[in-house]
Amino acid sequence: MKITILGSAAGLPTVDRGLPAIIVEVEGELLLFDCGEGTQRQLMRAGVSLCRKMRVFITHLHGDHLFGLPGLIQTMNLMNRVHPLGIFGPPGLKKFLEETTISTMPEPVFDLTVHEVKEGEIALGRQYRVIGALAEHSVPNIAYKLIAGESSGKFNSNKAEALGIPEGPLRKDLKSGKPITLEDGRHIDPADVLGKPVRGISMVYSGDTKPCSSVIKLAEDADLLIHEATFTHDLGDRASAEGHSTAEGAAGVAKSAKVKKLLLTHISARYPDGKVLEDEAKNIFASSEVVEDLKNYDLKI
Amino acid sequence: MKITILGSAAGLPTVDRGLPAIIVEVEGELLLFDCGEGTQRQLMRAGVSLCRKMRVFITHLHGDHLFGLPGLIQTMNLMNRVHPLGIFGPPGLKKFLEETTISTMPEPVFDLTVHEVKEGEIALGRQYRVIGALAEHSVPNIAYKLIAGESSGKFNSNKAEALGIPEGPLRKDLKSGKPITLEDGRHIDPADVLGKPVRGISMVYSGDTKPCSSVIKLAEDADLLIHEATFTHDLGDRASAEGHSTAEGAAGVAKSAKVKKLLLTHISARYPDGKVLEDEAKNIFASSEVVEDLKNYDLKI
């Protein structure tokens, strides 16, 4: 799982930090989380082709998280993109895209589908799945969890052979975790023929949120949590009033969820050096780091 | 007149060329021509504060020329901008801005006015005026001419005194170019009391257009013409069909209009090196140059 931060600013970008966007590559497929203004050029700078298989996940309908979407679609169009593009996000996304794009560009040449979603299982890929939970912001914000490479355990054909399980639907049931009964009445449990389940790797991206229990639950035992940390703790009241987190608050979420690593993003322009936020978080959760634009943070299965 | 190219790509940006935008500074006031995605960060890179006096002129309602506008307004809002912002552009601009911004950001804290315009005199500043002409593109496109520092000639108080012209409305009439009649019946011509008129300096920005007579007329004797040159001449048929210009075509406009200098912009991503376009233009109009992003092209009065 190759994670590249494309933009890590809060609402107001700077020369160093672009508007929110994260591109994740899983086994050749691309998942883009948020699409702030300038994302298409950041993708180019990161060496990611806009013609590749991609799905987009928008956390919430504030401009700084989605104003890059119309331009991304227009450029994909000019590139004669072939692969379909699925865009997932909160209700209202479809109307926004229709209104911004209809008058300003021709009909997309590729298949563009907008999925208005809320929480639960949101998307399934060949090698991954994405689930969502509602975080706590001033407008509905979906925190996304991406789980890749998980499997219920490798099927042991030798064992199946020895147990006399015929090839076909019975084996398929076992592979998908269902117990079966053979013609001779013997019950076979999936554990009898499957190897150790593979947990896979997982990352959670909070979008904009106060520290909240739904993100803690979503991030439980995740390998990586990318959480917003707009302010330092001295601006805690403002953070809370605006539905944002301090670095301390984000670290508290990471600690409660027992994640392996915390990346802090959505950094207010008032902090030209993010170290002050990193230090604050490290006091509570040691494995904390403030992200940099165009830096890679990879997770190995 | 300090001119900085913020973006010089055609519809599809590259790592080197951002989407169309040009910022011009005239005696401390800013004029932004087009506002492609990413303009706000390009302004920051150019060291231009988003809180300063500014007017925006949009050539046409294609996404690559205006998708930076909602984000620019949002950022100005977050910066608590005080100065009003006037945005000029073709009919439909108001609706686009209402639809993109209303649902995604709070009401601007500054005075935002959208002027839907077509041609003729479009805006008057303290030290400049902007006039427009309809170019020839697939949708209505306004080419803008900015004239700065022009004056009808300095008023010579000594001469006025010697001629016995009383202070007050009669002198005001002469200053504005109107002849007057004194109480004693003498006729006074403005030329009798005014110095040599100052022509000022002028630049024309074409937006997206085929080579056309209205841009030639608008650009007549201008100091600078910034004209689109999307393609080389071998793609002339395509340029014409899509309402664009070749470098050759742009140079022809510059030659016919007798401008002093031609800058070529709106460069298709198929030309990683713009020199091929520059050479093509130079064959027809020697003082041609392909622009670079963030480079300054200054005009002195």
Side-chain angles (χ1 to χ4, degrees):
Chain A
M1 197 188 281
K2 185 180 170 190
I3 297 153
T4 308
I5 306 294
L6 300 174
S8 58
L12 200 156
T14 67
V15 169
D16 295 323
R17 295 190 189 276
L19 290 157
I22 302 169
I23 188 82
V24 183
E25 181 168 348
V26 178
E27 300 277 339
E29 287 191 58
L30 296 169
L31 295 89
L32 177 64
F33 292 92
D34 278 337
C35 188
E37 184 185 344
T39 296
Q40 55 171 322
R41 279 187 92 195
Q42 288 295 85
L43 283 165
M44 291 172 186
R45 289 192 181 101
V48 176
S49 164
L50 273 56
C51 294
R52 287 177 55 190
K53 274 197 173 181
M54 191 189 289
R55 278 174 167 170
V56 184
F57 300 85
I58 301 294
T59 57
H60 64 296
L61 301 188
H62 276 162
D64 51 324
H65 292 251
L66 86 164
F67 281 165
L69 216 35
L72 181 75
I73 294 167
Q74 168 155 338
T75 295
M76 286 173 167
N77 221 13
L78 287 168
M79 286 177 165
N80 291 314
R81 181 183 172 87
V82 172
H83 287 299
L85 186 76
I87 308 180
F88 302 77
L93 180 59
K94 203 175 275 188
K95 186 163 176 280
F96 168 80
L97 279 174
E98 280 170 5
E99 288 177 343
T100 38
T101 55
I102 277 175
S103 61
T104 51
M105 65 175 87
E107 187 79 12
V109 294
F110 55 94
D111 184 21
L112 176 69
T113 317
V114 181
H115 308 264
E116 294 191 340
V117 293
K118 277 184 179 162
E119 48 193 336
E121 190 151 276
I122 283 174
L124 266 177
R126 221 165 28 91
Q127 299 283 343
Y128 68 83
R129 62 192 176 102
V130 176
I131 54 177
L134 274 176
E136 287 185 23
H137 192 45
S138 55
V139 295
N141 178 97
I142 303 165
Y144 291 101
K145 180 175 203 168
L146 165 62
I147 308 154
E150 68 183 340
S151 111
S152 49
K154 206 180 165 191
F155 189 77
N156 189 326
S157 304
N158 290 341
K159 275 194 186 170
E161 211 62 54
L163 288 166
I165 304 164
E167 290 191 16
L170 289 175
R171 289 197 182 191
K172 202 177 163 194
D173 281 350
L174 287 167
K175 280 178 193 172
S176 66
K178 286 186 205 145
I180 58 158
T181 306
L182 292 174
E183 276 188 2
D184 59 13
R186 277 181 298 145
H187 293 283
I188 310 283
D189 208 55
D192 299 336
V193 290
L194 292 180
K196 213 180 146 196
V198 180
R199 189 183 149 270
I201 44 171
S202 59
M203 61 152 267
V204 167
Y205 169 51
S206 70
D208 283 9
T209 185
K210 285 200 262 194
C212 67
S213 56
S214 58
V215 173
I216 292 173
K217 197 174 162 213
L218 185 73
E220 238 165 42
D221 298 319
D223 294 278
L224 178 66
L225 169 62
I226 306 179
H227 200 285
E228 72 127 296
T230 312
F231 301 114
T232 43
H233 72 281
D234 52 303
L235 292 174
D237 288 347
R238 178 165 170 196
S240 185
E242 295 179 3
H244 285 301
S245 296
T246 63
E248 200 175 78
V253 171
K255 192 178 176 183
S256 302
K258 298 187 184 68
V259 302
K260 292 215 180 78
K261 189 175 171 66
L262 169 66
L263 290 177
L264 302 171
T265 191
H266 203 265
I267 308 302
S268 163
R270 76 191 59 218
Y271 309 110
D273 183 358
K275 206 174 171 302
V276 57
L277 294 153
E278 191 169 294
D279 289 346
E280 179 177 312
K282 277 182 171 167
N283 279 335
I284 289 160
F285 186 78
S287 185
S288 300
E289 187 179 336
V290 169
V291 298
E292 283 172 34
D293 286 14
L294 295 179
K295 195 170 163 183
N296 295 324
Y297 302 86
D298 298 351
L299 290 181
K300 294 257 179 324
I301 298 183
Chain B
M1 198 188 281
K2 186 180 169 189
I3 298 154
T4 309
I5 306 295
L6 301 173
S8 58
L12 200 156
T14 67
V15 169
D16 295 323
R17 295 190 189 275
L19 291 158
I22 301 169
I23 188 81
V24 182
E25 181 168 348
V26 178
E27 299 277 340
E29 286 191 59
L30 297 169
L31 295 91
L32 177 65
F33 292 92
D34 278 337
C35 188
E37 183 185 345
T39 296
Q40 56 171 321
R41 279 186 91 195
Q42 288 296 84
L43 283 166
M44 291 172 186
R45 289 192 182 103
V48 176
S49 164
L50 273 54
C51 295
R52 286 177 56 190
K53 274 196 173 181
M54 190 189 290
R55 279 172 167 172
V56 183
F57 300 85
I58 301 294
T59 57
H60 64 296
L61 302 186
H62 275 162
D64 51 322
H65 291 252
L66 87 165
F67 280 166
L69 217 35
L72 181 75
I73 294 167
Q74 168 155 337
T75 295
M76 286 174 167
N77 220 15
L78 287 168
M79 286 176 164
N80 292 312
R81 181 184 172 87
V82 172
H83 287 299
L85 186 75
I87 308 180
F88 302 77
L93 181 59
K94 204 175 274 188
K95 186 164 176 279
F96 168 80
L97 279 173
E98 280 170 5
E99 288 177 344
T100 36
T101 56
I102 277 175
S103 61
T104 52
M105 64 176 85
E107 186 79 12
V109 294
F110 55 94
D111 184 22
L112 176 70
T113 318
V114 182
H115 308 264
E116 295 191 340
V117 293
K118 276 183 180 166
E119 50 193 335
E121 190 153 275
I122 283 175
L124 265 177
R126 221 164 29 90
Q127 300 283 345
Y128 68 84
R129 61 192 176 101
V130 175
I131 55 177
L134 275 175
E136 287 184 24
H137 191 45
S138 56
V139 296
N141 178 98
I142 303 166
Y144 292 102
K145 179 175 204 167
L146 165 62
I147 307 154
E150 68 184 341
S151 110
S152 49
K154 206 179 164 191
F155 188 77
N156 189 325
S157 305
N158 291 340
K159 275 193 186 173
E161 210 63 52
L163 288 166
I165 304 164
E167 290 192 14
L170 290 174
R171 288 197 183 192
K172 203 175 162 195
D173 281 350
L174 287 167
K175 280 178 194 172
S176 66
K178 284 186 206 147
I180 60 160
T181 306
L182 293 173
E183 277 188 1
D184 59 14
R186 276 183 298 146
H187 293 282
I188 311 283
D189 207 56
D192 299 335
V193 290
L194 292 180
K196 211 179 147 197
V198 180
R199 190 183 149 270
I201 43 171
S202 59
M203 61 152 268
V204 167
Y205 169 52
S206 70
D208 284 9
T209 185
K210 285 199 262 194
C212 67
S213 57
S214 58
V215 172
I216 293 173
K217 197 175 161 212
L218 185 72
E220 238 165 44
D221 297 320
D223 295 278
L224 178 65
L225 169 62
I226 307 178
H227 201 285
E228 73 126 293
T230 313
F231 301 114
T232 42
H233 72 280
D234 52 303
L235 293 174
D237 288 347
R238 178 165 170 197
S240 184
E242 295 178 3
H244 287 300
S245 296
T246 62
E248 200 175 77
V253 171
K255 192 178 176 184
S256 302
K258 298 187 185 67
V259 302
K260 293 216 181 78
K261 189 175 171 63
L262 169 66
L263 291 177
L264 303 171
T265 190
H266 203 267
I267 308 303
S268 163
R270 77 190 59 218
Y271 310 110
D273 183 357
K275 208 174 169 303
V276 58
L277 294 153
E278 191 168 294
D279 289 346
E280 179 177 312
K282 277 182 171 168
N283 279 336
I284 290 161
F285 186 78
S287 186
S288 300
E289 186 179 336
V290 168
V291 297
E292 283 171 34
D293 286 14
L294 294 180
K295 196 170 163 183
N296 295 324
Y297 302 86
D298 298 352
L299 290 182
K300 294 258 179 323
I301 298 183

